[in-house]
Amino acid sequence: MTTEVLNTAENFNIEFMRKAILLAKEAFQNHEVPVGAVIVKDFKVIGVGMNNVISSSSVIGHAEINAIFNAGQAIQNYRLNGCDLYVSLEPCHMCAKAIVDARINNLFFGALEPKTGSIVSIDNFLDSEHLNHKVNYSYGYMQSESIDLLKSFFQSKRLA
């Protein structure tokens, strides 16, 4: 980890991660993969999102994409300078690119995603030298809650 990544952890706020987990639980209740995301600017929530791939019939219905869209609408700007993103699960490549393009400052996430996680699990996308914006990140926040929720969701699908 770089020094920037470690310093990012100092900015972490547990209340925003709890809100992301609550959104993930809501996604679960809606029969969606339980992932929730919250975007914060100046300690205020300006955007939230949860997975809605199934209900929206759209592959881009990821929690992070939905939160970025909602935050942009709230501040009437596609650039989310000075914002932090809290998400219950490690983002995929699509979401990581959207995070960069939105100019989010800090990413905090819970559980690692060993199959598609692009931040540390299968790639280190945010550490790429070619990116035009640097996103600081740290992870492991409320990890067990996120993992338990995901396991419960996929177990319920196998039993159905």
Side-chain angles (χ1 to χ4, degrees):
M1 271 190 220
T2 67
T3 303
E4 287 181 74
V5 174
L6 293 174
N7 288 341
T8 301
E10 296 171 7
N11 299 328
F12 176 75
N13 185 312
I14 191 73
E15 293 306 315
F16 299 128
M17 186 57 78
R18 283 189 179 129
K19 180 144 183 71
I21 295 289
L22 286 174
L23 289 162
K25 289 178 180 179
E26 189 175 337
F28 187 144
Q29 293 169 351
N30 294 334
H31 307 285
E32 301 277 357
V33 175
V35 181
V38 174
I39 296 181
V40 177
K41 184 174 179 81
D42 301 325
F43 300 102
K44 293 180 186 174
V45 174
I46 64 165
V48 298
M50 67 183 90
N51 273 4
N52 69 346
V53 173
I54 297 166
S55 63
S56 69
S57 299
S58 175
V59 70
I60 65 169
H62 288 203
E64 301 94 326
I65 300 293
N66 291 327
I68 288 168
F69 177 80
N70 289 330
Q73 295 295 299
I75 66 168
Q76 291 296 292
N77 196 331
Y78 70 98
R79 288 195 172 164
L80 302 178
N81 294 314
C83 291
D84 298 330
L85 171 60
Y86 293 79
V87 62
S88 59
L89 185 65
E90 180 180 6
C92 68
H93 280 97
M94 175 181 68
C95 293
K97 182 65 167 91
I99 290 165
V100 170
D101 289 347
R103 307 291 199 277
I104 289 173
N105 284 17
N106 299 305
L107 166 65
F108 304 100
F109 64 92
L112 295 174
E113 182 18 294
K115 293 182 179 181
T116 62
S118 70
I119 311 305
V120 294
S121 292
I122 63 165
D123 194 4
N124 302 107
F125 180 78
L126 294 181
D127 295 326
S128 299
E129 293 294 321
H130 69 276
L131 296 174
N132 63 339
H133 175 72
K134 174 71 175 150
V135 178
N136 301 307
Y137 63 88
S138 58
Y139 57 93
Y141 304 102
M142 296 184 70
Q143 183 173 1
S144 59
E145 290 90 335
S146 182
I147 290 171
D148 290 347
L149 194 55
L150 289 158
K151 282 182 179 177
S152 294
F153 175 80
F154 288 111
Q155 285 173 349
S156 74
K157 295 302 174 192
R158 286 198 256 324
L159 296 174

